Amino acid sequence: MSRDRVYNFSAGPSVLPESALESARRDLPDYKGCGISVMEMSHRSPMFQEIFDTTKARLKAVLRVPDSHEILLLQGGATLQFAAIPMNLMEGAAADYAVTGHFSNRAAKEAEKYGDVHIACSSADSGFDRIPAQAELKLSPDAKYFYYCANNTIYGTEWQYVPETAAPLVCDMSSDILSKPVDVSRFGLIYAGAQKNMAPAGLTVVIIDKALAGRELPITPQIMSYKTLIESDSMLNTPPCWCIYMLGLVLEWLEGQGGVEGMEQIKRERARRVYEVLDNSRLYIPHAEIGSRSDMNITFRTGDKALDAEFVKGAAARGLLNLKGHKVAGGMRASLYNAMPMEGVDALTDYMKEFEAKHHV
Amino acid sequence: MSRDRVYNFSAGPSVLPESALESARRDLPDYKGCGISVMEMSHRSPMFQEIFDTTKARLKAVLRVPDSHEILLLQGGATLQFAAIPMNLMEGAAADYAVTGHFSNRAAKEAEKYGDVHIACSSADSGFDRIPAQAELKLSPDAKYFYYCANNTIYGTEWQYVPETAAPLVCDMSSDILSKPVDVSRFGLIYAGAQKNMAPAGLTVVIIDKALAGRELPITPQIMSYKTLIESDSMLNTPPCWCIYMLGLVLEWLEGQGGVEGMEQIKRERARRVYEVLDNSRLYIPHAEIGSRSDMNITFRTGDKALDAEFVKGAAARGLLNLKGHKVAGGMRASLYNAMPMEGVDALTDYMKEFEAKHHV
């Protein structure tokens, strides 16, 4: 497989490992000699069932998911989970929400339809530039769960600790899952849209403590009932087969990188190199507070919108793609997901230094 | 692209056009020289936006969707629509449901959570072997819509007419969309899981009369509100990008086949050839009544379960795949979707005749 060397810093959908794309291309017309593409396989066929089972087993092994928890491979994205979580777990009562960015705020707003939402903390006042400390969290005695978003893609902040709460933890790990080890047993529910660290868009992974299933409100759509989804092993209806297959290929690659432990070392080094440039710069202003910084999405600006635009344009011209910040945050954002090679990071930091030398007076 | 010649009669996910698979393979690592795969593109990027817009425009042109209607490209499958439809359109009141198979029955059961379901007709008593006539439909004056499934994949029956009702028509066209012209203006809502006639699994197409949007119950998840989805042009969250791209390739192929008019001629001929064998057979028993027969899914049996199994096994041995009937119906099922070449049909009928000659005494 040959293609011009570009580096894709998109916040999601985002870069995939070369080896996964190569395998996908090789097997596209004819999967392992069966004569048809994975895209054409019945989800009830033994061929696809094997892909499904292997992928799920790989994910279970890589994340060390305990037997108390079930892995679901679903459609609908995080936005569907914003509703599914309160419908299934809130029991019409209350839940605590930590609002540390755009998506946790949307999750909290959605949950208001199904019960009382207590805002456990919010960093809205300072432009979502930080993650509140454990001592700042206001925990409600009647909360059925505590909800937070582990990594805030838009603002470039990341929780550096797992909150201590009496209520079960529910966590949106869309943008940092598989980037480091996680003690899954501490969580009631983890979920992640696949289109950042895992697979193409169209797959959502949910990992749920089976003890929490079966509490859904009567108005919960059948396809959103965790109990039903567990019982049908994610196949109440046709699953997003191609994305599940791609997740399997990504996990195969990830195992070869030393699993989540390997990924953690690499992602720390990737982020270190970019933050080092930012911290030694007189041009770039990093957005996130030290201590809340994300290793996955690094946000910064020059303070001059025209210069920001020039930075993004010049980067694209040399194959450093999708560095423009999200519209609600502005500035620049470099997403350094698992599949971003270190050469891409070095190409970025070289460009950053060059751009600064040229533009800082 | 070369692969061993097999014919895939799967009911879905199912056979895709060779040319679509070839294009997908060619462009997999590097879409039109942009350096990245479609699977790695931000859904907000101009590159993906062009794919999205072109695909939607193609679908609008092929199905002649009037400007009164909006096309939505979503996740979640038909099962999510089973709930989204009553949540959005029932207004907590009532709706009529025609129960002509497994999936319309599930849709009716799901709708009971959100209002009163009137069963307009049911062919359950005769094993879902027929579609009731217009005169048999019991229409309720208070129905907010009339729901039916145009083609019953499991039982091999297909509505040969569009019902006349005062209430807006809501139709599940998952297994016969794009197989013939449809007067979209007669429908309040059409939807279809893509994994039969359109694209790989993971995409659901909804075509809705915009006048019907904005009536959702307060408990409707945001991601299921047709109003919100219309306003965000299907991008409230990340859409299933790869499946949308594949749909575009399938539509490009379909245009070259003469559009839905071309497909209708071909599908009639495909089905005619198989029904001819069935009607001249002393071994095979067709399931569907004449007048209700589906051109997309042809169901039959020998009356001897062991012989049915032998038929399916022998077929697979010569590359005629996935002819086993659905578990709730038994027997055999040949799905003849748009991408099934006529050579596949002839290979099937040859085998059927040969098998009969060998086994009928």
Side-chain angles (χ1 to χ4, degrees), chain B residues 244-271:
Chain B
I244 292 169
Y245 161 70
M246 287 300 303
L247 171 58
L249 295 177
V250 170
L251 289 168
E252 195 179 344
W253 166 83
L254 190 137
E255 287 163 8
Q257 303 287 312
V260 287
E261 287 79 9
M263 291 324 307
E264 185 177 35
Q265 288 188 11
I266 298 167
K267 71 132 186 169
R268 280 194 181 152
E269 180 57 21
R270 267 192 304 248

Coordinates of all heavy atoms in Angstrom, one line a residue, chain B residues 244-271:
Chain B
I244 N -21.8 5.6 4.2 CA -22.4 6.7 3.3 C -21.5 6.7 2.0 O -22.1 6.8 0.9 CB -22.4 8.0 4.1 CG1 -23.4 8.0 5.2 CG2 -22.6 9.2 3.1 CD1 -23.3 9.2 6.2
Y245 N -20.2 6.6 2.2 CA -19.4 6.5 1.0 C -19.7 5.3 0.1 O -19.8 5.5 -1.1 CB -17.9 6.5 1.5 CG -16.9 6.0 0.5 CD1 -16.5 6.7 -0.6 CD2 -16.3 4.8 0.7 CE1 -15.5 6.3 -1.4 CE2 -15.3 4.3 -0.1 CZ -14.9 5.1 -1.2 OH -14.0 4.6 -2.1
M246 N -19.9 4.2 0.8 CA -20.2 3.0 0.0 C -21.6 3.1 -0.7 O -21.8 2.7 -1.8 CB -20.3 1.7 0.9 CG -18.9 1.2 1.4 SD -17.8 0.7 0.0 CE -18.7 -0.5 -0.8
L247 N -22.6 3.8 0.0 CA -23.9 4.0 -0.6 C -23.7 4.8 -1.9 O -24.3 4.6 -2.9 CB -24.8 4.7 0.4 CG -26.1 5.3 -0.2 CD1 -27.0 4.1 -0.8 CD2 -26.9 6.0 0.9
G248 N -22.8 5.8 -1.8 CA -22.5 6.7 -3.0 C -22.0 5.8 -4.2 O -22.5 6.0 -5.3
L249 N -21.1 4.9 -3.9 CA -20.6 4.0 -4.9 C -21.7 3.1 -5.5 O -21.7 2.8 -6.7 CB -19.4 3.2 -4.4 CG -18.2 3.9 -3.9 CD1 -17.1 3.0 -3.3 CD2 -17.6 4.7 -5.1
V250 N -22.5 2.6 -4.6 CA -23.6 1.7 -5.1 C -24.6 2.5 -5.9 O -25.1 2.0 -7.0 CB -24.4 1.1 -3.9 CG1 -25.6 0.3 -4.3 CG2 -23.4 0.1 -3.1
L251 N -24.9 3.7 -5.6 CA -25.8 4.6 -6.4 C -25.2 4.9 -7.7 O -25.9 4.9 -8.8 CB -26.1 5.8 -5.6 CG -27.0 5.7 -4.4 CD1 -27.1 6.9 -3.6 CD2 -28.5 5.3 -4.8
E252 N -23.9 5.1 -7.8 CA -23.2 5.3 -9.0 C -23.4 4.1 -10.0 O -23.7 4.3 -11.1 CB -21.7 5.6 -8.8 CG -20.9 6.2 -9.9 CD -19.5 6.4 -9.5 OE1 -19.1 6.3 -8.3 OE2 -18.7 6.6 -10.4
W253 N -23.2 2.9 -9.4 CA -23.4 1.7 -10.2 C -24.9 1.6 -10.6 O -25.2 1.3 -11.8 CB -23.1 0.5 -9.3 CG -23.5 -0.8 -9.8 CD1 -22.9 -1.6 -10.7 CD2 -24.7 -1.5 -9.4 NE1 -23.7 -2.7 -11.0 CE2 -24.8 -2.7 -10.2 CE3 -25.8 -1.2 -8.5 CZ2 -25.8 -3.6 -10.1 CZ3 -26.8 -2.2 -8.4 CH2 -26.8 -3.3 -9.2
L254 N -25.8 1.9 -9.7 CA -27.2 1.8 -10.0 C -27.7 2.7 -11.1 O -28.5 2.3 -12.0 CB -28.0 2.0 -8.7 CG -29.5 1.7 -8.8 CD1 -30.0 1.0 -7.5 CD2 -30.4 3.0 -8.9
E255 N -27.1 3.9 -11.1 CA -27.4 4.8 -12.3 C -27.0 4.2 -13.6 O -27.8 4.3 -14.6 CB -26.6 6.2 -12.1 CG -27.2 7.0 -10.9 CD -26.2 8.1 -10.5 OE1 -25.2 8.3 -11.1 OE2 -26.5 8.8 -9.5
G256 N -25.9 3.5 -13.6 CA -25.4 2.8 -14.8 C -26.3 1.7 -15.3 O -26.2 1.2 -16.4
Q257 N -27.1 1.2 -14.3 CA -28.0 0.1 -14.6 C -29.4 0.6 -15.0 O -30.4 -0.2 -15.1 CB -28.2 -0.8 -13.4 CG -26.9 -1.4 -12.8 CD -26.4 -2.5 -13.6 OE1 -27.1 -3.4 -14.0 NE2 -25.1 -2.4 -14.0
G258 N -29.5 1.9 -15.2 CA -30.8 2.4 -15.6 C -31.7 2.9 -14.4 O -32.9 3.0 -14.6
G259 N -31.1 3.1 -13.3 CA -31.8 3.6 -12.1 C -32.8 2.6 -11.6 O -32.7 1.4 -11.9
V260 N -33.8 3.1 -10.9 CA -34.8 2.2 -10.3 C -35.7 1.5 -11.4 O -36.2 0.4 -11.2 CB -35.7 2.9 -9.2 CG1 -34.8 3.1 -8.0 CG2 -36.3 4.2 -9.7
E261 N -35.9 2.2 -12.5 CA -36.6 1.6 -13.6 C -35.9 0.4 -14.2 O -36.4 -0.7 -14.4 CB -36.9 2.6 -14.7 CG -37.9 3.7 -14.4 CD -37.4 4.8 -13.6 OE1 -36.1 4.8 -13.4 OE2 -38.2 5.6 -13.1
G262 N -34.6 0.6 -14.3 CA -33.7 -0.5 -14.8 C -33.7 -1.7 -13.8 O -33.9 -2.9 -14.1
M263 N -33.6 -1.3 -12.5 CA -33.6 -2.4 -11.5 C -34.9 -3.1 -11.4 O -34.9 -4.3 -11.2 CB -33.3 -1.7 -10.1 CG -32.0 -1.1 -9.8 SD -30.5 -2.0 -10.5 CE -30.7 -3.6 -10.0
E264 N -36.0 -2.4 -11.7 CA -37.3 -3.1 -11.6 C -37.4 -4.2 -12.7 O -37.9 -5.3 -12.4 CB -38.4 -2.1 -11.8 CG -39.8 -2.8 -11.6 CD -41.0 -1.8 -11.7 OE1 -40.9 -0.8 -12.5 OE2 -41.9 -2.0 -11.0
Q265 N -37.0 -3.9 -13.9 CA -37.0 -4.9 -15.0 C -36.1 -6.1 -14.6 O -36.5 -7.2 -14.8 CB -36.5 -4.3 -16.3 CG -37.5 -3.3 -16.9 CD -37.1 -2.8 -18.3 OE1 -36.2 -3.4 -18.9 NE2 -37.7 -1.8 -18.8
I266 N -34.9 -5.8 -14.1 CA -34.0 -6.9 -13.8 C -34.5 -7.7 -12.6 O -34.5 -9.0 -12.7 CB -32.6 -6.3 -13.4 CG1 -32.0 -5.5 -14.7 CG2 -31.7 -7.4 -13.0 CD1 -30.8 -4.7 -14.3
K267 N -35.1 -7.1 -11.6 CA -35.5 -7.9 -10.5 C -36.7 -8.7 -10.8 O -36.9 -9.8 -10.3 CB -35.8 -7.0 -9.3 CG -37.0 -6.1 -9.4 CD -37.9 -6.1 -8.2 CE -39.2 -5.4 -8.5 NZ -40.2 -5.5 -7.5
R268 N -37.6 -8.2 -11.7 CA -38.7 -9.0 -12.1 C -38.3 -10.3 -12.9 O -38.8 -11.4 -12.7 CB -39.6 -8.2 -13.1 CG -40.5 -7.3 -12.3 CD -41.6 -6.7 -13.2 NE -42.5 -5.8 -12.5 CZ -43.1 -4.8 -13.0 NH1 -43.0 -4.6 -14.3 NH2 -43.9 -4.0 -12.3
E269 N -37.3 -10.1 -13.7 CA -36.7 -11.2 -14.5 C -36.0 -12.2 -13.5 O -36.2 -13.5 -13.7 CB -35.8 -10.7 -15.6 CG -35.2 -11.8 -16.4 CD -36.2 -12.7 -17.1 OE1 -37.4 -12.3 -17.3 OE2 -35.9 -13.9 -17.5
R270 N -35.3 -11.7 -12.6 CA -34.6 -12.6 -11.6 C -35.6 -13.4 -10.9 O -35.5 -14.7 -10.8 CB -33.9 -11.7 -10.6 CG -32.4 -11.5 -10.9 CD -31.7 -10.9 -9.7 NE -32.3 -9.7 -9.2 CZ -31.8 -8.5 -9.2 NH1 -30.6 -8.3 -9.7 NH2 -32.5 -7.5 -8.8
A271 N -36.7 -12.8 -10.4 CA -37.7 -13.5 -9.6 C -38.5 -14.5 -10.5 O -38.8 -15.6 -10.1 CB -38.6 -12.5 -8.9

